[in-house]
Amino acid sequence: MFRRKKHILDENIIKNIYKKDRLLRYAEFSLGLLLVAVAFNIFILPSNIVYGVSGLGVIAKHLWNIDPSIVIMIGSVLLLLLSFILLGKEKTASSVVGSLLYPVFVKITETVPNYVNIEGTEPFVIVLFGAVISGFGLGLIFKAGFTTGGTDILNQIVSKYAKISMGNAMFFTDGLIICLSIFVFGWTKFMYSILTLYIISVITDKVILGISQSKAFYIITDHETEIKKFILQHLSHGITVLDGHGGYTGKHQRVIMCIIPTKEYFMFKEGIHQIDQKAFFVVTDAYEVSGGE
């Protein structure tokens, strides 16, 4: 009974999340799909860059002159069916719209390169622009709560049944597809494909998380009072003191946590060193800070 209530509560939370800012989410999703599709037709396809299901479309176009959108659509539908069988209805539902609409957008925008002349442009510049625009588009899609399916589905399947992390699954599936470019296009395109995938992942993260404007400090020191005074009185930032224990020694340790603007990072770090040169601290990006006084 308790599990059933918890399941209903979880479903209600998820429904409320998807209802929030629905029009804005659909707008971001549509714009993201458009950007990814345009980047594919203008930059990725002509440059023979291979990654994901789109990469199979690039290879098919080169070898047999098959419309890439058809290959992407067939691949997406097959992966959706595989997802429904192996991952279930709920996991598959979030990928359906993006999986089916992406190849449609690729087809609709296939004539865009006729109006954009990039002949004579350095290959590196073309790859860079394609990766940045694709990453920005994917970031908007993921930020809106959607996906484009494709190898994202394959990654989940491999992760679940091979008992490996999503990162390793992504390395395996995308790596396998990228490796095909060696035999079809050679080593240069292979290296460009790896570079493209890396830039896309970086830009996607930046769009989803934003550029960090704050840093989170976690400090362990024998001069707790002096450091707290420095933070509270001289930098005028609040702090939280956490209780911790050494993993090896079992010794009780207090951890000072503080969120500061990135522009104050140098002053904060040097101040800690001035007070306690042996202080141990960890600094992480804080992409969003909410609540508190």
Side-chain angles (χ1 to χ4, degrees):
M1 187 69 175
F2 174 74
R3 285 185 179 179
R4 185 180 177 185
K5 286 182 178 179
K6 184 177 182 300
H7 180 68
I8 293 173
L9 179 61
D10 290 342
E11 282 188 345
N12 288 335
I13 292 173
I14 292 171
K15 285 180 181 179
N16 289 333
I17 290 172
Y18 280 113
K19 285 180 181 178
K20 186 178 179 181
D21 300 325
R22 183 176 292 177
L23 290 177
L24 177 61
R25 287 177 49 244
Y26 286 148
E28 287 183 339
F29 171 62
S30 301
L31 177 59
L33 277 178
L34 181 62
L35 288 174
V36 175
V38 167
F40 175 79
N41 281 309
I42 295 178
F43 304 105
I44 305 300
L45 181 60
S47 301
N48 293 325
I49 300 302
V50 175
Y51 63 88
V53 175
S54 299
L56 299 179
V58 173
I59 292 173
K61 173 70 174 178
H62 178 77
L63 294 179
W64 305 293
N65 199 31
I66 299 175
D67 189 334
S69 63
I70 294 175
V71 177
I72 297 171
M73 177 63 81
I74 292 172
S76 297
V77 171
L78 290 175
L79 285 171
L80 283 173
L81 292 173
L82 200 60
S83 174
F84 183 79
I85 295 168
L86 299 177
L87 298 176
K89 180 181 177 181
E90 291 183 5
K91 287 281 187 179
T92 306
S94 61
S95 302
V96 172
V97 179
S99 295
L100 299 180
L101 283 184
Y102 174 57
V104 173
F105 273 66
V106 169
K107 184 64 178 178
I108 291 172
T109 58
E110 67 178 1
T111 59
V112 173
N114 296 334
Y115 306 97
V116 181
N117 184 9
I118 58 173
E119 288 185 12
T121 307
E122 288 290 331
F124 177 76
V125 176
I126 294 174
V127 168
L128 183 61
F129 265 80
V132 170
I133 295 172
S134 295
F136 188 80
L138 285 171
L140 290 176
I141 292 169
F142 295 148
K143 190 176 181 180
F146 296 91
T147 76
T148 54
T151 51
D152 289 335
I153 294 174
L154 200 56
N155 293 337
Q156 293 180 58
I157 293 172
V158 172
S159 176
K160 178 179 179 180
Y161 289 94
K163 307 296 183 185
I164 60 176
S165 67
M166 281 292 290
N168 288 332
M170 189 181 301
F171 176 80
F172 174 77
T173 55
D174 284 324
L176 195 61
I177 294 173
I178 288 176
C179 283
L180 291 175
S181 65
I182 298 175
F183 305 102
V184 181
F185 302 114
W187 285 96
T188 301
K189 298 299 183 182
F190 168 72
M191 290 186 286
Y192 274 137
S193 296
I194 292 177
L195 179 63
T196 300
L197 191 60
Y198 173 75
I199 295 173
I200 286 174
S201 66
V202 172
I203 299 298
T204 299
D205 284 346
K206 291 300 180 185
V207 173
I208 295 172
L209 297 173
I211 298 174
S212 170
Q213 296 182 345
S214 302
K215 302 292 182 187
F217 269 78
Y218 298 86
I219 310 158
I220 298 175
T221 176
D222 292 329
H223 297 75
E224 180 184 334
T225 302
E226 292 92 329
I227 287 182
K228 287 197 298 185
K229 183 178 179 181
F230 170 71
I231 296 171
L232 291 169
Q233 296 184 6
H234 294 280
L235 298 178
S236 301
H237 291 300
I239 60 174
T240 299
V241 179
L242 310 172
D243 284 324
H245 291 84
Y248 178 74
T249 63
K251 179 183 176 182
H252 177 264
Q253 295 174 316
R254 286 159 67 87
V255 182
I256 302 172
M257 185 192 78
C258 182
I259 308 295
I260 65 163
T262 299
K263 63 183 179 181
E264 295 182 17
Y265 168 78
F266 176 79
M267 180 69 69
F268 196 95
K269 181 189 72 171
E270 292 302 316
I272 293 172
H273 279 149
Q274 288 290 324
I275 297 169
D276 182 7
Q277 291 187 351
K278 295 183 178 180
F280 172 83
F281 61 85
V282 176
V283 186
T284 63
D285 286 317
Y287 290 99
E288 186 171 348
V289 179
S290 178
E293 295 293 331

